Amino acid sequence: MIIYKSEEEIKGIKRSNQIVAKILDELSSMIKPGVQTKDLDEHAEKRARDMGAVPAFKGYRGYPSSLCTSINEEIVHGLPSSRTLREGDIISLDFGILCDGFYGDAAETYPVGNISPIAKKLITAAENAFYKGIEKIREGNRISDISNAIQTYVEAQGFSIIRSFVGHGIGLSLHEEPQVPNFGLSGRGPKIRKGLVLAIEPMIAVGDWRMEVLADKWTAVTIDRSLSAHYEHTVALTERGLEILSVLDDKEPNFQYLKRNQHA
Ligand code: MF3
Ligand code: CO
């Protein structure tokens, strides 16, 4: 069952997502060669607790950390450790919190120093894929219109869509219905209406779309070890139209969104 949210609830979900956005912003400025991924995890957890929030991933199905740190061929659920970042790596940070009963969830992929042209193109494609997807979040459209737009764009860029992970409803739980695959035919699934809150999260790869999970039982990697990028934000269809809840307000998310659409 899809839980459609009131404007009041969306305000609460936005507050939680602004905490996620603030912390991801802080983490992004910590990313440099030599940093250990566990330093990023510690910072994320401490700052969440400082702001009155609880990390949402820690303990979720036994996940041991607060942050997911996925480097290069790692798709998602990379475990923070004493591993250090190296010049030329790309790292996806995925973070979620619970605050005052509402969940926030977002992820971005960042360069470590100078990265290869293909890595840059991959990161940009994941971000653009998210925007291609959310353009379809309009009353009357269907959930799989989002999926199809993401797949069509990513494959036209020459990249592949990871199929084992999906976007999801979010708000009162971390994962709610509906599931939002990043691939598939359009025109399927529930009709979109006001009050829908979704975490849209394309994960893409340079090579094969198939994945496997490492012996640590968490880290998902591409089966051919090609680079992978992840881009996730929580969005809501409100009275005022589509809002991106997990981009910092002072970054004028809706302005960015409109700007992108004009050039689409
Ligand atoms: N952002 C991932 C998701 O949306 C979070 C992984 S949850 C974990 O599903 F706790 F299992 F890591
Ligand atoms: Co998510």
Side-chain angles (χ1 to χ4, degrees):
M1 190 194 61
I2 299 177
I3 306 168
Y4 294 92
K5 276 79 178 181
S6 66
E7 291 287 313
E8 217 35 53
E9 288 171 318
I10 291 173
K11 270 189 203 158
I13 299 168
K14 178 166 179 178
R15 277 194 291 273
S16 291
N17 276 287
Q18 289 291 302
I19 292 174
V20 171
K22 175 80 182 106
I23 294 173
L24 279 179
D25 190 54
E26 293 173 5
L27 294 172
S28 71
S29 62
M30 293 172 68
I31 291 175
K32 16 183 126 40
V35 170
Q36 298 184 335
T37 51
K38 71 171 169 20
D39 299 337
L40 301 170
D41 181 60
E42 275 164 25
H43 181 85
E45 175 160 7
K46 179 177 185 306
R47 291 288 291 136
R49 296 194 191 278
D50 286 349
M51 290 188 245
V54 178
F57 301 168
K58 201 168 202 172
Y60 183 86
R61 298 183 179 208
Y63 188 74
S65 303
S66 298
L67 185 70
C68 300
T69 54
S70 310
I71 300 170
N72 298 335
E73 74 279 8
E74 298 173 0
I75 300 161
V76 73
H77 303 160
L79 299 179
S81 71
S82 56
R83 177 170 175 185
T84 56
L85 300 181
R86 298 195 303 188
E87 177 92 18
D89 284 342
I90 61 173
I91 179 168
S92 307
L93 299 182
D94 189 349
F95 190 51
I97 60 119
L98 170 64
C99 187
D100 296 331
F102 299 109
Y103 282 87
D105 187 7
E108 286 195 36
T109 302
Y110 306 93
V112 183
N114 271 316
I115 61 171
S116 67
I118 191 77
K120 273 185 202 159
K121 187 182 172 198
L122 186 75
I123 289 176
T124 305
E127 181 174 347
N128 288 344
F130 164 84
Y131 284 96
K132 291 288 180 188
I134 67 170
E135 267 176 37
K136 301 293 177 189
I137 305 182
R138 297 188 191 154
E139 237 166 336
N141 279 2
R142 289 184 187 273
I143 289 293
S144 84
D145 297 341
I146 305 168
S147 315
N148 184 258
I150 291 173
Q151 180 180 23
T152 302
Y153 170 78
V154 169
E155 291 180 351
Q157 295 297 301
F159 296 135
S160 65
I161 289 286
I162 305 296
R163 300 176 181 229
S164 310
F165 303 101
V166 294
H168 49 94
I170 178 170
L172 309 181
S173 305
L174 177 61
H175 295 138
E176 296 179 3
E177 287 182 31
Q179 294 200 148
V180 188
N182 296 304
F183 66 97
L185 299 174
S186 57
R188 315 285 165 102
K191 268 199 180 159
I192 291 170
R193 63 175 182 83
K194 259 182 241 154
L196 185 66
V197 181
L198 299 174
I200 299 297
E201 49 180 317
M203 285 165 228
I204 70 174
V206 168
D208 201 314
W209 58 268
R210 291 172 298 165
M211 70 100 191
E212 62 182 327
V213 176
L214 297 182
D216 65 17
K217 299 263 187 21
W218 277 103
T219 312
V221 298
T222 52
I223 203 150
D224 61 0
R225 303 301 190 264
S226 70
L227 290 179
S228 176
H230 184 193
Y231 192 86
E232 172 180 28
H233 282 289
T234 298
V235 303
L237 190 56
T238 73
E239 299 291 347
R240 293 164 305 285
L242 187 70
E243 293 188 36
I244 306 174
L245 306 181
S246 54
V247 172
L248 278 179
D249 260 347
D250 60 15
K251 288 207 169 161
E252 301 185 78
N254 295 321
F255 170 70
Q256 285 181 1
Y257 173 59
L258 288 174
K259 209 169 64 175
R260 276 168 202 280
N261 267 353
Q262 280 161 15
H263 295 293

